[in-house]
Amino acid sequence: MNAKQPPAKKAPSSRPAGVVTLEQVAEAAGVSPSTVSRILNGTAAVSQAKKDAVQAAIRDLGFQPNPVARGLAGGRTLSIGVVTQIISSPFYGEALLGIERELERAGYVPLFVSGNWHEDDERKAIEALLSRRVDGIIVLAGRLSNEKLVQLTTGLPTVVVGRQLAGPKLYSFGFDNRLGARLATQHLIEQGHRRIAFIAGDLLHDDAVERQDGYLDAMAAAGLPVDPDLMVQSDFTAAGGMLAVSRLLERTVSFTAMFVSNDEMAMGACLGLHRRNLRVPDDVSLVGFDDVVMARYTMPPLTTVRQSVYEIGSEAATAMLAMLNGGTPKAQLQTPELVVRESTRRLLR
Amino acid sequence: MNAKQPPAKKAPSSRPAGVVTLEQVAEAAGVSPSTVSRILNGTAAVSQAKKDAVQAAIRDLGFQPNPVARGLAGGRTLSIGVVTQIISSPFYGEALLGIERELERAGYVPLFVSGNWHEDDERKAIEALLSRRVDGIIVLAGRLSNEKLVQLTTGLPTVVVGRQLAGPKLYSFGFDNRLGARLATQHLIEQGHRRIAFIAGDLLHDDAVERQDGYLDAMAAAGLPVDPDLMVQSDFTAAGGMLAVSRLLERTVSFTAMFVSNDEMAMGACLGLHRRNLRVPDDVSLVGFDDVVMARYTMPPLTTVRQSVYEIGSEAATAMLAMLNGGTPKAQLQTPELVVRESTRRLLR
DNA sequence: TTGTATGCGTTATCAC
DNA sequence: GTGATAACGCATACAA
């Protein structure tokens, strides 16, 4: 025995009662901590006997590895940063759900941060995630320039949704907004509409631009003139949609249909039209975009372009997990689909 | 110089490039790591000179403390677990935003997990948070029995929203659902309605029960008989609201107004009524609950009971921070407020 | 196949 | 005031 007094062990401190450490498991199983670790991570082959003993000990003691310590030691935190824009929007909410569910299955936890459609907030959000040592970052759309984004996240596995950009450890996939918008506009054209107004989202945003392009495509393909007075820019919010309708009507242009770049704006637009005594779909046919859950329950139920936001989220998570496991994620781009409900009708005149 | 070869330092491993450690700051400032730590945490007095030097070094090197290491060493992870039910619901989304914003100001990060209105999921969610060593847990409503909740979170600062329960390190506050429901029902009564239907939320849930009680209160206070046939139970979703209307109408009861326990169900109910050729508010006046953002943009805009979900979230976060700082959070219960829009009107007959 | 030793970046305890 | 030094709980390089 050593004559020197062993230094008093640091008080058990804040470790919650009943929390078992790997070391205790090792002791109980009669093996070394490293062996336990190996079994836990499948890092190396271990004899079946010890494996059994350890697993029994783990069960008996109710051991749960401490992710914090794991993070420090192994450099993995088992957490994935998710940069969303407005966590409270119905659109993002569903995507987050998809991400959460998928990550959970692999033992990862998402860390959600909001960028608020603001470049600076977004940068800060990403920096916060980096400082938390997340194992990867999923970015849903956003304002940050591609260069800055790539620069900020270099080295870290990154999945970007809604933009196309390449880089090492970087995977991006989008949604065919342009095709979706074309489908929406075509639908209106097929119903006999010729004067079709368009409400754009925030054009600083790729999605918004692509949807606008789709609208223009369809108009051109049908040989319809595009009247700039029929186009308004807005911001993807319901309030913005309502405002956009006001601006449109102030121009005293006439139109019989309207394609709105997302469902929330479409709801606002619907109310805006109503305020001017224009009925949907009797006076104006209306098409939205996204097929948010609520689109099914608006009055009237909204014709819109379906993109499964939930699936987009889970796809992103799947891609992330694939990268983390050293694999290569594969694109699984959904094709947009028009969902015809009751906000559109054939032009009778 | 030591003759003994210093053991090759472990390869810089996974530490992201350009990441500075506290030790490097200490070296640059010519002080010991402890001193840097003290300055960072205000743990002890430090001479102004060193303080300046360290702060300069921190700035120059762009040092950011590693929360993971902090978590291991100090037992604090600067993260707060948030148990929500459905992250994608508009209701919870806003609350989460409030929480996120408020925590961010104090350098904390929320970890969101969903309980899915399911006792088992909720337990697992909380366990996941515990294993992550969050510094505290905020629970938004939920299914877990009070006892289990208290048991699960013992020791950890906990804020529970939407339930009343006491305990050490436990703070709970709610919203006066009963009063809110009374206000809603009274409004309808004042408008001359006597046959007022009621759609309840999931009655396993306190909120739902309280809102139902409020409805009953108001009816009783006005001396109106409560017809059980006018009451249906549902589940707080739009789909459920629509279904509830069907069930109600199958009973061939008559009513001129309807109080629905939340806005999402109200939207579903509105559509359900429309399907049966009942117009809101011409044939049926409709009141919702929550004043979700979209309530302003439904057709017609929904009369509802306002509870600032965002504020509830930030209140919860504020309470959490107060507990973490050793203080005692104080109740700041908002009073519900009726927002009259266009889904209700005076009964003319 | 297994154990020992060391380090991850920080805080906390102690002695000076 | 300040600086060594020992944890925190785990993963891993290396030796056995």
Side-chain angles (χ1 to χ4, degrees):
Chain A
M1 208 179 186
N2 207 325
K4 200 163 126 196
Q5 193 77 334
K9 208 171 178 173
K10 189 177 169 184
S13 80
S14 54
R15 169 136 49 91
V19 166
V20 184
T21 69
L22 181 148
E23 197 177 344
Q24 296 173 332
V25 171
E27 199 170 349
V31 302
S32 77
S34 24
T35 300
V36 178
S37 174
R38 282 191 267 263
I39 293 176
L40 248 43
N41 302 294
T43 320
V46 174
S47 73
Q48 190 60 41
K50 306 215 168 189
K51 208 178 270 180
D52 293 341
V54 167
Q55 259 144 10
I58 289 182
R59 231 181 311 101
D60 293 350
L61 279 61
F63 167 73
Q64 282 207 317
N66 180 335
V68 179
R70 264 188 173 176
L72 232 205
R76 308 188 325 150
T77 55
L78 293 182
S79 60
I80 303 294
V82 180
V83 181
T84 172
Q85 296 310 317
I86 318 180
I87 203 174
S88 70
S89 105
F91 182 83
Y92 286 106
E94 284 179 61
L96 301 189
L97 190 59
I99 292 176
E100 186 192 22
R101 290 268 174 82
E102 196 61 31
L103 288 184
E104 185 193 3
R105 298 174 39 187
Y108 282 83
V109 169
L111 253 59
F112 297 122
V113 291
S114 309
N116 305 314
W117 290 125
H118 201 296
E119 175 166 347
D120 229 47
D121 284 15
E122 202 171 328
R123 194 178 37 64
K124 274 192 224 147
I126 293 182
E127 280 169 355
L129 292 175
L130 291 175
S131 89
R132 294 253 156 206
R133 304 298 191 277
V134 291
D135 296 339
I137 293 189
I138 296 177
V139 180
L140 300 176
R143 275 285 164 65
L144 225 51
S145 75
N146 287 356
E147 302 76 47
K148 286 203 186 139
L149 185 57
V150 170
Q151 181 193 338
L152 227 56
T153 63
T154 36
L156 212 58
T158 307
V159 172
V160 182
V161 178
R163 293 203 231 169
Q164 220 58 328
L165 67 171
K169 293 262 178 193
L170 181 53
Y171 179 69
S172 73
F173 70 96
F175 176 77
D176 201 336
N177 287 291
R178 190 160 182 166
L179 174 55
R182 204 158 53 209
L183 290 176
T185 313
Q186 269 171 6
H187 170 66
L188 293 171
I189 295 172
E190 282 162 11
Q191 304 279 26
H193 296 279
R194 298 183 56 82
R195 300 283 300 171
I196 302 174
F198 173 70
I199 300 184
D202 188 331
L203 291 176
L204 286 175
H205 203 201
D206 284 0
D207 291 16
V209 175
E210 291 168 24
R211 291 175 194 182
Q212 177 165 286
D213 287 344
Y215 163 78
L216 296 175
D217 285 353
M219 295 295 276
L224 294 176
V226 173
D227 182 348
D229 276 352
L230 284 177
M231 301 174 65
V232 205
Q233 187 181 339
S234 186
D235 63 357
F236 281 133
T237 70
M242 190 162 162
L243 199 66
V245 165
S246 297
R247 298 222 306 278
L248 204 53
L249 293 175
E250 278 164 13
R251 297 178 186 165
T252 59
V253 291
S254 70
F255 53 90
T256 62
M258 194 162 194
F259 169 43
V260 185
S261 293
N262 78 344
D263 291 345
E264 290 180 74
M265 285 199 296
M267 288 181 66
C270 189
L271 181 57
L273 290 169
H274 185 82
R275 291 269 183 261
R276 306 298 188 108
N277 278 318
L278 293 170
R279 303 301 161 202
V280 173
D282 298 349
D283 301 314
V284 175
S285 281
L286 189 64
V287 182
F289 203 110
D290 285 346
D291 196 21
V292 154
V293 172
M294 270 306 154
R296 199 181 289 263
Y297 299 99
T298 58
M299 287 278 300
L302 191 64
T303 294
T304 186
V305 177
R306 172 168 175 69
Q307 64 169 322
S308 171
V309 189
Y310 179 92
E311 273 179 35
I312 288 180
S314 63
E315 276 292 328
T318 306
M320 182 83 252
L321 293 172
M323 292 183 67
L324 290 173
N325 292 327
T328 328
K330 57 182 190 310
Q332 188 84 353
L333 227 141
Q334 328 167 21
T335 37
E337 187 185 337
L338 186 74
V339 182
V340 179
R341 289 202 264 257
E342 299 161 42
S343 64
T344 47
R345 69 150 55 172
R346 173 162 294 284
L347 183 62
L348 294 179
R349 299 162 239 186
Chain B
M1 206 179 195
N2 206 326
K4 198 162 127 197
Q5 192 77 337
K9 213 176 175 173
K10 188 178 169 185
S13 82
S14 54
R15 169 135 47 92
V19 167
V20 184
T21 70
L22 180 147
E23 198 177 342
Q24 297 172 333
V25 171
E27 199 170 350
V31 303
S32 76
S34 335
T35 300
V36 178
S37 174
R38 280 192 269 262
I39 294 176
L40 247 43
N41 302 293
T43 320
V46 175
S47 74
Q48 190 60 41
K50 307 215 166 184
K51 210 178 269 181
D52 292 342
V54 167
Q55 259 143 9
I58 289 182
R59 232 181 310 103
D60 294 351
L61 278 63
F63 167 74
Q64 282 208 316
N66 180 337
V68 180
R70 266 190 170 173
L72 233 206
R76 307 187 328 150
T77 55
L78 292 182
S79 60
I80 302 295
V82 179
V83 181
T84 171
Q85 296 309 317
I86 318 178
I87 204 174
S88 69
S89 105
F91 182 82
Y92 287 106
E94 283 178 63
L96 302 189
L97 190 59
I99 292 176
E100 187 191 22
R101 291 267 174 80
E102 195 61 32
L103 288 184
E104 186 194 3
R105 298 174 40 188
Y108 281 83
V109 169
L111 255 61
F112 297 122
V113 291
S114 307
N116 306 312
W117 289 124
H118 200 297
E119 175 166 346
D120 229 47
D121 284 15
E122 202 172 326
R123 195 178 37 67
K124 275 192 221 145
I126 294 183
E127 280 169 355
L129 292 176
L130 290 175
S131 89
R132 295 254 156 207
R133 304 296 191 277
V134 292
D135 296 340
I137 293 189
I138 296 177
V139 180
L140 300 177
R143 276 286 163 66
L144 224 50
S145 74
N146 286 357
E147 301 77 46
K148 284 201 187 143
L149 184 57
V150 170
Q151 182 192 337
L152 228 55
T153 63
T154 36
L156 212 59
T158 307
V159 172
V160 182
V161 178
R163 291 203 231 168
Q164 220 58 328
L165 67 171
K169 293 260 179 197
L170 180 53
Y171 178 70
S172 73
F173 70 97
F175 176 76
D176 201 337
N177 287 290
R178 191 161 181 166
L179 174 56
R182 205 159 54 209
L183 290 176
T185 312
Q186 268 171 6
H187 170 66
L188 292 171
I189 294 171
E190 283 162 9
Q191 303 279 28
H193 297 278
R194 299 182 57 83
R195 300 284 299 170
I196 302 174
F198 173 71
I199 301 184
D202 188 330
L203 291 176
L204 285 175
H205 204 202
D206 285 0
D207 291 16
V209 175
E210 290 168 23
R211 291 175 194 182
Q212 176 165 288
D213 288 345
Y215 163 77
L216 295 174
D217 285 354
M219 294 296 276
L224 294 175
V226 173
D227 182 348
D229 277 352
L230 283 177
M231 300 174 65
V232 205
Q233 187 182 338
S234 185
D235 63 356
F236 282 133
T237 70
M242 189 162 164
L243 199 66
V245 165
S246 298
R247 297 222 307 278
L248 204 52
L249 292 175
E250 277 164 14
R251 296 179 187 166
T252 59
V253 290
S254 70
F255 52 91
T256 62
M258 196 162 191
F259 168 44
V260 185
S261 293
N262 77 344
D263 291 344
E264 291 180 72
M265 286 198 297
M267 289 182 67
C270 188
L271 181 57
L273 291 168
H274 184 83
R275 291 271 182 261
R276 306 299 188 103
N277 279 317
L278 292 170
R279 304 298 162 206
V280 173
D282 298 350
D283 301 314
V284 176
S285 281
L286 189 64
V287 182
F289 203 108
D290 285 348
D291 196 20
V292 154
V293 172
M294 270 305 155
R296 200 180 290 261
Y297 299 99
T298 57
M299 286 279 299
L302 191 64
T303 294
T304 186
V305 178
R306 172 167 176 70
Q307 63 170 322
S308 171
V309 189
Y310 179 91
E311 273 179 35
I312 288 180
S314 62
E315 277 291 329
T318 305
M320 182 79 251
L321 293 172
M323 293 183 66
L324 290 173
N325 292 327
T328 327
K330 59 183 188 309
Q332 189 83 354
L333 227 142
Q334 328 168 19
T335 36
E337 188 185 337
L338 186 75
V339 182
V340 179
R341 290 201 263 259
E342 298 161 44
S343 64
T344 47
R345 68 149 58 171
R346 173 162 293 284
L347 183 63
L348 294 179
R349 298 162 237 180

